[in-house]
Amino acid sequence: MSPTLPSPILVGRERELVALHERLDAALAGQGSLVLIGGEAGIGKTALAEALCREAAERGALVLVGRCYDLSETPPYGPWAEALARAPASDQLPALPAAMLPPRRDGAALTGQEAILRRVRDYLAALAVMQPVVLLIDDLHWADPASLDLLRVVGRGLADVPLLLLVTYRSEEVDRGHPLAALLPLLVREAHAVRRDLRPLDAASIGALVAARYALGDRDRDRLARYLVGRTEGNALFLGELLRTLEAEGVLHATGERRPLGDLEGVPVPTLLRQVIEGRLHRLDLETERLLAVAAVIGQEVPLSLWAAVGAVGEDAVLAAVEQGLAARLVVEVVGDARVRFAHALIREALYEGIPGIRRRRVHRRAGEALEDSGTPDPDAAAYHFQRAMDDRAAGWLVKAGERAQRAYAWLTAAERYGAALALMGDGADAAARGWLLFRFAICRRYADPDEALSHLDAAAEAAEAVGDAMLRARAGLYRGLIHCYLGDLQRGIAEMRVGVAAQDALVAAGQTYTPLDAVDATNGRGTLALWLANAGHLAEARALGEAHLAGALPPPEGEGSAPYADTHYALGLVHAFGGRPDEARAHLLRAAAINHAVGHRQISVNVMRLAFHHVRLPYGADRVAERGREAAELAVAQAGQADAVREREPPEAMQPDLLLLEGRWAEIRAIAAYVAESAARSAPIMSATTPETWGELVRAQGDAATARALVVKWLPDGPGTVPGSGYFATAIGLIRVAAALALDADDARHAREWLEAHDRWLDWAGATLGRSEGAALWARYYQQVGDTMKAYTHAERALAHGTEPRQPLALLAAHRLFGELDTETGRYDDAGRHLDASLAFADACAAPYERALTLLAMAEHRAACGQTHEARTLLDEVRAICTPLDAQPTLSRVDTLAARLDAAKAVAPVYPAGLSPREVEVLRLLAEGRTNRDIADALFLSEHTVRVHVRNILTKTATDNRTAAAAFARLHGLA
C-alpha cells in the first residue's frame, strides 16, 4: 500500500488536525498550550497525537512521550519520568528532582511536593527555550494522583513557553468518581486547555477512506463501506484491523489495479479486537505466541532483558519473537531503547485476558523474582507482579513503593500502596510493623479523608499498646490530636497533642529516636502544639512553649533542621498579633512563611502570609495604603503561583476577603463564595474561601441577617455559652461581635448583652488585646440603645483608648464615629463635628469606602440636627452613591429614613426662636408643662442624662437662668 494513502486512524479528523496544527504552529512560535484528546478505546487518540508528534519532530521540535499503563501500578510521576528520561542532558538545565529519576541516577533532593512540581515545570520551561518541545502524556486515565498534580502545574504555565503538551485519555473510564473528572474542567479554566473529544467515524468518512484507498467499482465500494460501518461502528482501531484481515484473506486488494471485491459474508470477520489478535497469533509459531503472552503479563512496555528472564529464553529467542510481533503489527519498537511496546493497550489487554489464570499468576511470580534479581528493581513493578501472583512478598514491596511515594510527597499514591499492603497482611503479621504501616497510611491520608486517618491512627495506637511500642503510641496520639484540630475539635485535639508531645519528649530524652520519611512527618510536635494553642486562644501557654522551643530548652530530634521551627514562629506571630504587639507578630510570621517556602511547603507559606496581612497589616496599619497594596500584591502573586495538591486552587483574591471588604469590592467576595460553592472539586463548605467573620460582616452589612445568623450557629453552636478555647479564637471573637451587632439591629438588648459578655469572657480568658476596641464600641451602642448615655460614653472612651494603644486605625475610625453619634444625640454639636471629621480622615486614609459612607451618614444626621438641611442632603447623596453598588441595604434604609425626615421638615419648615433645634423645642414644651427630667426622658425615649444636656442647652440659648424662666420663654413665643 502506498504510504500516501490515508490512514483509517486519521480519516475524518480534519477539524481535529486543523486545531492541532494551530497549536503546534503557536508552540513553535513561542506560545505553548495544553491539548486534551478524549474518546473511547480504539477511537484513534494516540495515533492522532503521534501523527502530530512525527510532524513536530520533522519541523525541529523535541518530542517526548510518557505513557500510563493499566494492569500495572503506575509509580508516582510515572509518565512524566518516562518522558523526561529521554530528554537530552545539559548543564544549562535545572536538576530534575530525584523523585523523577531512576534510583541509579542522581537528582535534586527536594522537600515537599510543591518543590518537585515547580522544579519539573522550570525544567520543561528551560528545555523548551533550548528547543521547542512537544510532550505527549498518553492514557492519562491510568495516571497516578501525583502525575495529575504535575499536569495541572505545568499546564498553567505554558502561555509564554514553546511547549505543546498533548494529553490523551479514555472518556469512558472517567466517571464522576475518577480524579480526572474534576481535573478536566479546571484545566480548561485555568490553563485554557483545548479539549477535543473524538467521535466514531461516520459513514461518509469511512466511504471516503474506501474510495481513496482501494480501486473498486462503485457497487463494490458501496458494499465495502456499508460492511465496515456495520462491523466497526466507526472505531478506528477496529476499522484498521478489519481492513488488514480482509486483505490477508484475499477478499480485498490494496494494489492500484482495479480488482473485484470478494465475498464479504463468506469470510469469518472478527467483530471484536480479541478475535483479530487471536487470528494473527494463530499465524505465529507456538513459541512466539507464548512469549507474547509473557510480554503481556510484564506490561505495556517490555524491556527485552526482563522479557528473556521471565520467558526463560535467550536473547535470540526474544529477538525472533520481536520480529514476528512487528510483522503482525502487535508490537512496535521503542526507538533508542532495548524494549518494545504493544501497538495498542487493547492488544495487550486481549492477550492478557486470554491467558489462563493459573499460568498468569506463575508468570507474574517469575516477573517479580526477575525484578528482585535485577539489583535496582522498581518497587511498584515488583509489588504489582507479586500482587498478581498472590505472593506474600507483595506486601513488602508495596511498603517500599509507598515509602518512595511518600519521600516524593505523592501522599495519595503512598496511601494507596500502604493500604494495599495492610490488606495483604494477615493476623500473623508483625504487630509492630503493621502498627507503623497504619500510622503511615493515616498521615498520608489526613488531608484527603481526616475521619479515615483517625480510624487508622486509633488502630495504630492499639497495635502500639499491644507490643509496647511507646514511640508509635506517642506519635499516633500527636497526629490524632492534630487531625481533631483540623476537624475543628480544638479542645480534644490540643489535649491529645499535649499528651503525645510530652510522651515523645520523654522518649527522646531517654535515647529513643524516630526516622521520618518526609519533612512534614519530621515534626516533633512542640511547634505544632504551640500553633494550635495560639489558634485556640491559649496565648500565654503558646508563648511559653514557643519561646522555650526557640531558645533550645527542648532541642529538636536529630535531622529535623529548621522545618519544625516554622510552626513555632507561626504560633508566636499569632500570639503577638492577638496581644497587641504588631512588630513582633510580623517578624515571626514572615519568618514562618520563609521557612515553609524554603522547605517546599508553599501552600502553608501563603497561608502564613495571609494571616500576617489579616491579623497585623489590616488592624494595625490599614492607613498605610502603599504598604498595604504592596503586601496584598505579593500575597496574590504567591497564591496564584502555588501548587495545591490537596484541594482545588482558589482565585488569588480568595486569600484576601478582609481587604476586599475594606475596599468595597463586595461583589468579588460574593463571586468567590459562589465559585467555591459550585466547584465539584471542593468538599469544604462555602466559607473555606473566606474567613467566616469577614463573610458574617459582609452579609450583615447587606441586610442578610438570616445567613449571618446561620454562620454564627455553625461556628458557635452553643451560642454565647460557647466555651473559650473550643474553637478558632479569631473566628470566634469576630463572629461573637457579628452576633451582638445582629441582636442590636433587632433591638434585642438581652441577647446583645449575652453576646457582649461572651466577647469579654473570651478576651479576658485569652489575655488578648486585639478586638477590645471593637467590643467596647458595641457595649457603647448597647448602652445607647437601652438609654444609659453615661455608660455609653464610658465605653466609647474605652473604645478610643484601646484603639490608640496599640494604634489601630480602623478601630479609631469607628470610635470617633461613635463619639460623633453620641454627641449629636446629646446636642454637643461642636464636639460631634470634631469627632466625625476625625473619623472621616481615618476612612480616607484607610481607603475604606463603606466606612466613609457610615461616617458621612453620621455627619448627615449631625447636620440635620443642626438645621443644616442642604448639607445633610448633599452628604446623603454621596452615601447613596457608595452604598448602592455595595447593596448595603440597612445603610440605604437609614439614608431613606433621614431623607424622609428632611422632606417632612421642609414641608413644615418651622423656624424656632433663639436657634433652638426641633428636639430642644420638644424638650422645652414638656418642661413648660412642669414635667421632670425623668418624665421628659420617658416621653421622648431618651436617657435622663440626655435630657439634662438638652435642658442646659435650652437655658443657654434662651438666656434664661432656670426652668421657670424657660417656661415663660416658651409661652411668650407660642411654644408651650
Side-chain angles (χ1 to χ4, degrees), residues 490-547:
L490 271 63
Q491 282 185 311
R492 179 176 180 180
I494 288 172
E496 293 192 10
M497 288 179 70
R498 282 191 179 111
V499 173
V501 169
Q504 183 174 287
D505 285 344
L507 292 169
V508 171
Q512 290 196 38
T513 59
Y514 169 71
T515 303
L517 284 175
D518 59 50
V520 176
D521 183 30
T523 178
N524 60 28
R526 300 180 204 114
T528 306
L529 174 57
L531 174 58
W532 283 100
L533 287 167
N535 272 322
H538 298 272
L539 303 185
E541 185 181 357
R543 182 173 184 177
L545 181 60
E547 290 178 347

Side-chain angles (χ1 to χ4, degrees), residues 233-246:
E233 296 183 351
N235 185 290
L237 178 65
F238 289 5
L239 178 62
E241 295 301 322
L242 186 51
L243 288 172
R244 292 187 186 102
T245 301
L246 292 174

Side-chain angles (χ1 to χ4, degrees), residues 861-914:
E861 291 168 340
H862 169 260
R863 301 300 190 271
C866 294
Q868 299 171 4
T869 303
H870 178 73
E871 275 193 56
R873 290 184 183 281
T874 301
L875 292 167
L876 290 181
D877 288 342
E878 186 174 351
V879 176
R880 280 198 187 91
I882 294 172
C883 291
T884 299
L886 300 180
D887 195 26
Q889 292 301 325
T891 305
L892 289 169
S893 294
R894 287 178 58 193
V895 170
D896 292 341
T897 299
L898 180 55
R901 276 175 44 203
L902 294 175
D903 289 342
K906 181 179 180 182
V908 178
V911 177
Y912 299 116

Side-chain angles (χ1 to χ4, degrees), residues 39-368:
E40 67 181 28
I43 203 69
K45 306 177 295 296
T46 300
L48 181 65
E50 287 179 341
L52 190 74
C53 288
R54 288 192 294 272
E55 179 180 339
E58 293 171 358
R59 297 176 63 180
L62 172 65
V63 175
L64 302 174
V65 181
R67 304 181 193 277
C68 310
Y69 304 113
D70 191 17
L71 303 179
S72 64
E73 296 288 351
T74 303
Y77 312 108
W80 297 89
E82 178 182 314
L84 297 179
R86 296 164 185 167
S90 173
D91 294 337
Q92 300 177 23
L93 297 172
L96 280 170
M100 305 294 297
L101 299 171
R104 62 183 179 273
R105 286 182 59 185
D106 294 331
L110 302 177
T111 56
Q113 187 186 40
E114 293 169 26
I116 293 171
L117 304 186
R118 287 171 177 272
R119 178 60 62 85
V120 175
R121 181 197 63 190
D122 295 344
Y123 173 90
L124 286 170
L127 181 65
V129 170
M130 298 172 59
Q131 180 182 5
V133 173
V134 174
L135 174 57
L136 169 60
I137 302 295
D138 198 26
D139 287 329
L140 189 70
H141 53 279
W142 288 325
D144 59 290
S147 290
L148 299 183
D149 295 333
L150 182 52
L151 173 63
R152 190 171 179 191
V153 171
V154 173
R156 288 201 299 256
L158 294 176
D160 300 321
V161 179
L163 191 157
L164 176 58
L165 180 53
L166 302 174
V167 170
T168 71
Y169 63 95
R170 287 187 191 173
S171 53
E172 73 270 23
E173 298 275 356
V174 184
D175 57 21
R176 292 183 62 184
H178 196 289
L180 192 53
L183 180 60
L184 289 173
L186 297 180
L187 293 174
V188 173
R189 181 171 66 244
E190 296 175 357
H192 305 292
V194 176
R195 189 169 179 177
R196 290 289 180 269
D197 292 320
L198 302 189
R199 296 182 178 180
L201 299 174
D202 57 22
S205 297
I206 293 176
L209 170 68
V210 169
R213 190 166 180 172
Y214 301 102
L216 296 170
D218 293 344
R219 187 185 299 272
D220 281 347
R221 184 171 61 246
D222 293 342
R223 183 162 60 94
L224 177 59
R226 288 194 302 272
Y227 175 85
L228 293 173
V229 170
R231 295 301 190 279
T232 67
E233 296 183 351
N235 185 290
L237 178 65
F238 289 5
L239 178 62
E241 295 301 322
L242 186 51
L243 288 172
R244 292 187 186 102
T245 301
L246 292 174
E247 291 174 8
E249 293 292 330
V251 175
L252 183 63
H253 303 279
T255 62
E257 179 184 352
R258 176 175 291 191
R259 299 180 63 179
L261 180 67
D263 181 10
L264 294 172
E265 301 303 327
V267 177
V269 179
T271 58
L272 298 173
L273 182 61
R274 183 181 301 168
Q275 292 173 297
V276 175
I277 296 168
E278 288 174 352
R280 288 192 185 180
L281 289 172
H282 290 326
R283 294 194 291 271
L284 304 175
D285 62 57
L286 291 177
E287 178 64 3
T288 297
E289 185 177 349
R290 181 187 76 84
L291 287 175
L292 283 172
V294 169
V297 173
I298 292 173
Q300 181 71 15
E301 284 202 2
V302 188
L304 300 187
S305 58
L306 181 60
W307 193 1
V310 178
V313 296
E315 180 180 350
D316 289 342
V318 169
L319 291 177
V322 169
E323 290 173 358
Q324 291 193 50
L326 291 171
R329 299 185 183 91
L330 295 170
V331 298
V332 296
E333 288 186 87
V334 176
V335 179
D337 204 350
R339 65 178 64 206
V340 296
R341 66 178 174 84
F342 285 96
H344 195 280
L346 291 175
I347 295 176
R348 185 205 167 201
E349 290 175 21
L351 281 167
Y352 185 87
E353 292 170 3
I355 306 171
I358 294 176
R359 181 184 173 197
R360 236 179 5 226
R361 287 193 293 274
R362 186 165 61 244
V363 177
H364 275 301
R365 182 177 295 107
R366 289 204 303 267

Side-chain angles (χ1 to χ4, degrees), residues 355-556:
I355 306 171
I358 294 176
R359 181 184 173 197
R360 236 179 5 226
R361 287 193 293 274
R362 186 165 61 244
V363 177
H364 275 301
R365 182 177 295 107
R366 289 204 303 267
E369 290 169 346
L371 286 169
E372 279 186 324
D373 295 339
S374 68
T376 56
D378 181 326
D380 284 289
Y384 161 71
H385 286 297
F386 282 126
Q387 274 183 288
R388 292 282 175 163
M390 300 181 181
D391 191 292
D392 290 342
R393 287 170 286 185
W397 283 105
L398 283 166
V399 172
K400 292 178 181 179
E403 290 173 346
R404 179 177 72 168
Q406 189 175 349
R407 282 191 293 270
Y409 297 88
W411 290 346
L412 296 181
T413 299
E416 289 177 1
R417 305 299 187 263
Y418 293 148
L422 285 167
L424 293 176
M425 287 183 171
D427 296 335
D430 181 351
R434 181 176 175 81
W436 279 106
L437 196 56
L438 287 163
F439 171 76
R440 289 179 182 175
F441 178 92
I443 65 174
C444 288
R445 290 285 294 174
R446 66 185 186 274
Y447 294 122
D449 191 337
D451 291 325
E452 181 186 32
L454 278 176
S455 68
H456 281 75
L457 286 174
D458 290 340
E462 291 177 5
E465 198 69 40
V467 300
D469 190 333
M471 181 60 78
L472 174 57
R473 186 168 59 245
R475 291 196 68 76
L478 168 61
Y479 273 93
R480 192 168 51 204
L482 182 60
I483 293 173
H484 279 303
C485 288
Y486 292 160
L487 294 172
D489 190 352
L490 271 63
Q491 282 185 311
R492 179 176 180 180
I494 288 172
E496 293 192 10
M497 288 179 70
R498 282 191 179 111
V499 173
V501 169
Q504 183 174 287
D505 285 344
L507 292 169
V508 171
Q512 290 196 38
T513 59
Y514 169 71
T515 303
L517 284 175
D518 59 50
V520 176
D521 183 30
T523 178
N524 60 28
R526 300 180 204 114
T528 306
L529 174 57
L531 174 58
W532 283 100
L533 287 167
N535 272 322
H538 298 272
L539 303 185
E541 185 181 357
R543 182 173 184 177
L545 181 60
E547 290 178 347
H549 192 202
L550 291 183
L554 299 170

Side-chain angles (χ1 to χ4, degrees), residues 658-699:
D658 39 12
L659 179 63
L660 298 180
L661 184 71
L662 179 65
E663 294 184 346
R665 296 158 62 186
W666 295 4
E668 293 179 51
I669 303 179
R670 286 278 186 181
I672 293 166
Y675 168 84
V676 175
E678 294 169 3
S679 173
R682 295 293 288 256
S683 58
I686 190 172
M687 284 317 305
S688 61
T690 58
T691 49
E693 60 271 30
T694 300
W695 181 251
E697 291 177 33
L698 172 66
V699 294

